[in-house]
Amino acid sequence: MNAPAKLGAFALVLALAFGGAALAGAAIDPTDPEETAVSHAGDDPGHGQTGHDDTPADPEPEGGHGGAGPAAGGLAVSQAGYTLEPQRTFFEPGEPTRFSLLITDERGRPVRDEFETEHERELHLIVVRRDTAIYQHVHPRKHADGTWSVELTLPEPGDYRAYADFTIDGAGLTLATDLFVQGDFQPEPLPEPSTNDSDGGYDVELRADGAMAKGESELTFAVSRAGQPADKLQDYLGAKGHLVALRDGDLAYLHVHPTAGHDDQAEDHDHDNEVSFAATFPSAGRYRLFLQFKTEGEIRTVAYTMEVPR
Ligand SMILES: [Cu+2]
């Protein structure tokens, strides 16, 4: 495959602030970076990851998505009466920039107090360059007026998709907008399908036997180190791992949720190094999966291209 041109070049860590101050939904001080974002370049099967640090990760889990059939989110900036209003969409490459957004209701009023906590946060922001080579997952901080803000650094030129993943009234919603970074954009091809990737010395194998479009598919990730099963995965935002799945072509954002994690299998020490998810792929085709998990206090990010058969 052609040169992982800029593998490794994207490692970066963002400091960001987020606040769990949900209740009160007011008076939150916009400083105090507490988490970081992960950025990372996935490129070729099997590696090509970089970046991360302590981070927030966690994909998406919303609660009941009402609606039948596979739901593909992230394709609209406005849906179900709610609208994502970014305060800016232009960025300079590599320049830390404050990014603020509002979620407004059908009457244009900022939603402030209605957010429900999912995976320990009221709102998850996923930013992915459209070629999927760069991935970040951050948690903006909510301010008294309902504005969410976070410091974002988009490392390379290109068009990015920014997904705001949140839950209101028990329904998960993912609204998204494009962000633009000027400069000489060098797109990277989607890596070929693969079931292995690694980060920080941890090798992670994806098992997705029987995965198919439409019905629910189980995806299991097994973490090992130097050929041995890794130690128990640490809890990260209330789960053993967080997964985001994007469809190749339109970057539709899938609803994925952990199937084994906190509550069940507490006794199953043989699988402490594994985390499983249920995903409903809305159609056959290729998807890019981004898994984040925590070991030794560090957030790791691995990515896979998966081919979902009909
Ligand atoms: Cu998150």
Side-chain angles (χ1 to χ4, degrees):
M1 47 218 59
N2 23 19
K6 16 176 113 145
L7 276 200
F10 310 122
L12 88 149
V13 180
L14 298 183
L16 60 124
F18 65 84
L23 25 169
I28 299 172
D29 90 277
T31 22
D32 119 277
E34 167 178 0
E35 287 195 10
T36 20
V38 171
S39 160
H40 109 271
D43 234 279
D44 6 342
H47 39 302
Q49 240 68 229
T50 28
H52 28 44
D53 240 282
D54 186 29
T55 324
D58 117 15
E60 76 4 282
E62 357 212 81
H65 248 256
L75 296 176
V77 75
S78 186
Q79 188 182 337
Y82 296 99
T83 301
L84 164 61
E85 298 187 14
Q87 163 240 32
R88 69 157 66 231
T89 54
F90 282 57
F91 293 78
E92 292 295 323
E95 202 168 284
T97 305
R98 187 165 199 77
F99 177 62
S100 298
L101 64 89
L102 280 175
I103 300 299
T104 55
D105 63 17
E106 55 281 287
R107 293 164 68 178
R109 299 169 305 193
V111 176
R112 198 186 64 178
D113 304 323
E114 295 79 6
F115 296 100
E116 293 167 25
T117 298
E118 285 291 340
H119 288 248
E120 303 184 352
R121 294 293 181 277
E122 288 187 297
L123 186 141
H124 302 266
L125 183 70
I126 304 295
V127 181
V128 182
R129 197 169 68 174
R130 277 200 167 275
D131 60 355
T132 74
I134 298 174
Y135 177 86
Q136 298 185 4
H137 176 178
V138 300
H139 298 111
R141 165 173 283 262
K142 188 171 69 178
H143 301 277
D145 64 355
T147 300
W148 293 89
S149 62
V150 64
E151 186 175 88
L152 270 188
T153 301
L154 302 181
E156 303 276 332
D159 293 349
Y160 292 70
R161 193 75 177 149
Y163 305 89
D165 181 341
F166 55 91
T167 296
I168 293 178
D169 286 338
L173 198 55
T174 304
L175 301 180
T177 184
D178 284 337
L179 300 181
F180 306 94
V181 180
Q182 67 163 340
D184 182 17
F185 175 33
Q186 316 225 312
E188 297 181 18
L190 184 73
E192 288 299 308
S194 162
T195 54
N196 289 282
D197 195 12
S198 59
D199 185 22
Y202 289 88
D203 300 310
V204 186
E205 180 178 17
L206 163 63
R207 295 198 308 265
D209 306 327
M212 59 169 68
K214 305 298 166 65
E216 197 168 83
S217 298
E218 181 172 35
L219 309 179
T220 296
F221 296 87
V223 183
S224 61
R225 181 155 212 196
Q228 299 299 317
D231 290 339
K232 185 172 169 40
L233 301 180
Q234 296 176 304
D235 233 40
Y236 185 56
L237 291 177
K240 287 167 69 180
H242 295 275
L243 179 68
V244 165
L246 303 176
R247 181 166 61 187
D248 180 36
D250 62 3
L251 297 188
Y253 184 102
L254 275 60
H255 176 66
V256 178
H257 58 89
T259 55
H262 19 193
D263 19 24
D264 48 9
Q265 308 196 343
E267 309 298 312
D268 194 353
H269 296 296
D270 288 347
H271 295 85
D272 275 352
N273 67 320
E274 297 188 354
V275 56
S276 297
F277 300 86
T280 300
F281 296 99
S283 60
R286 290 189 172 185
Y287 291 81
R288 189 67 176 162
L289 312 180
F290 297 93
L291 172 73
Q292 292 183 299
F293 60 98
K294 189 174 184 180
T295 52
E296 301 179 289
E298 299 263 326
I299 301 308
R300 319 286 179 182
T301 304
V302 287
Y304 308 78
T305 293
M306 180 175 167
E307 178 93 50
V308 176
R310 271 164 219 296

